[in-house]
Each structure stands twice: as C-alpha cells, then as structure tokens.
Amino acid sequence: MGARWIGQELRVAEPLVDLRKLRNRVVPTADVIGLVAGLGMHLLLSLVTRPAQAPVGAGNGFGASVVVTGLILLPFSVGSLLAGRAVPLVADRLSSRSTLPLSCCVILLSMLLFALGRSGLWELFLVMGVAGLGIGCVFALVPGLIVTSVAAREVGCAMGFNQVLRYVGFATGSGLSATVLASHTMTGQALPDPGGYGSAALLGCLICAVAAVVAAVLPGRRRVAAAQRACRPPSRPCARGRSPRRRRAGCTADRSVARVRCPPEHHRLRS
C-alpha cells in the first residue's frame, strides 16, 4: 500500500505530498527529527505517568493522585516555553545546525535520567523539565530548517508533511511504550516490573542518539560552506562611489540556504 501511494505521488503533476522535496537533504532531516521528537515525547509522557500513579507497594510506584500526576507534566510545558524563547539566542551563537543535535542530546539526557533514577517523585518533575527543554528546542528549530530550504510556494506542503510525521511519532511513541511495558508484565500481574520502565527508557535513548547523529550528518555541509565563503570579507576595501547594493553584493549569497551572518565590517564604508 505504501509503495503504491509513493508511486502515485511521484507520477501525478500536482501530488498531495510532493515527495520530490525529499531530494533536498535538509527536508528529510527535518522530517526525521520531527518524527523522532514526537516519538520520544509521547514515549516519555506515557512512561512517567505510570509509576507516578502506581500503588506504593508496586515496585517504583508513588501512589500519586490524578492532580499530582498532572502537575508532574507542568515542568514539561514550562521547559518547552522557555526553550522556544531561548532558541533564537542560542542559534545566533551556535548556528541552527549545531543547536539541533544538542537539542536531541537533551532529550536523550531526560530519557537517561528516567532510566537511572526513579526513587523519588521529584525526579519525575526533573525528567519532565529536561525533556521540555529538549523537545521545545527541536520543535522550534525544525520549521526554520524547512522554511529556509524550500521555495516560498512549497512551504505549506513541506510543513504539512512534517506535521503528519510528527503525529505519526506521537502515536508510535505511545504504542511503543505500551508494548515494552506489556512485555515486562508477568502473567496474572496488573502492573509491569520496574525493569520495564528502564528498558523502555533505554530504547528511547537509542532512538534519540540516532536522531542526534542524523541531525549532525544529514544537512548539506557543502551548501553551508559555500554560504560562508560567499560572506568572507573582500581582500581589498570596497571602492568609493559604488552603490551600497553593489558593496553588499558579496554578502547576500545563499542566505536562504544557511543562516550565516556576515561580519559587521563588511558593510562599513571605508575611507
């Protein structure tokens, strides 16, 4: 079914999802990261709420009420909000290409914290706060990658496809969490053994590590390097009398491909 749909989309003149956009390596990178971030988000959300509400005598259960369990998710929302505000500042210093793998590593850190430490309820609050920072950064960076890598008339299609993959990740993460916990539930038992939570979290760590590698390797290095070379200062001062547009011509190459800032002195008039 999937192969038939792909063939149909490649044959028609105006496809519902233009799969030819995947030839641009930045677009599949953003799609893979969106898929994995959605998977990790709902995998962790499903894992954290189970031990929080489990009875105290059931391994790592804390016997928390529905209200307290809801409050555990509050640091996730706060972290996502703060990450969205901080991403422009961090990306200006490190570039989006460096910030995206680091964001995936932050999600990996939250998974690792959950796998190794579940002895106190406060640890669940910490895990959700760290996860909110990582996922908030990823969801703030991915749209920028797509917008700067496709033509303006194709942004809606590319963003819609990325959103679909993100929701596929949501569903897959929830199902994966349930599958792993069910495999660690003994016959006749209502709750999984404590090792099931650790196994699911370690699986999430592996997925996030793959996402970090994809984010670091897949984006086109040649295009970024070409834009950086285009914005190097000229070997001799700009001649007086030229229009400002001509003096700044060397700094406008490929800005839509890579967000590379030109040196301030490149735009100064030299006497």
Side-chain angles (χ1 to χ4, degrees), residues 114-131:
F114 181 78
L116 298 179
R118 298 185 303 278
S119 59
L121 196 61
W122 65 271
E123 292 177 320
L124 301 183
F125 283 89
L126 176 62
V127 166
M128 294 312 298
V130 175

Side-chain angles (χ1 to χ4, degrees), residues 35-59:
L35 173 66
V36 173
L39 192 156
M41 172 181 170
H42 275 252
L43 174 66
L44 191 60
L45 289 175
S46 302
L47 290 176
V48 166
T49 55
R50 290 291 297 272
Q53 298 182 81
V56 177

Side-chain angles (χ1 to χ4, degrees), residues 9 15 17 19-20 27 64-65 70 92 108 133 140 143 145 149 156 158 200 245-246 265 267:
E9 294 298 300
V17 177
L19 299 178
R20 298 177 183 86
V27 175
S65 64
D92 284 343
L108 188 153
L133 290 174
L145 283 177
S149 61
R245 180 178 298 179
R246 293 189 65 185
E265 60 269 14
H267 300 297

Side-chain angles (χ1 to χ4, degrees), residues 6 11 14 28 30 37 45 53 61 75-76 83 124 127 146 150-151 154 160 165 172 207 213 216 223 233:
I6 292 174
R11 281 195 301 268
E14 296 183 359
L45 289 175
Q53 298 182 81
F76 180 87
L124 301 183
V127 166
I146 296 175
V150 299
E154 300 167 352
L165 289 180
T172 305
I207 294 173
V213 173
R223 303 177 74 180

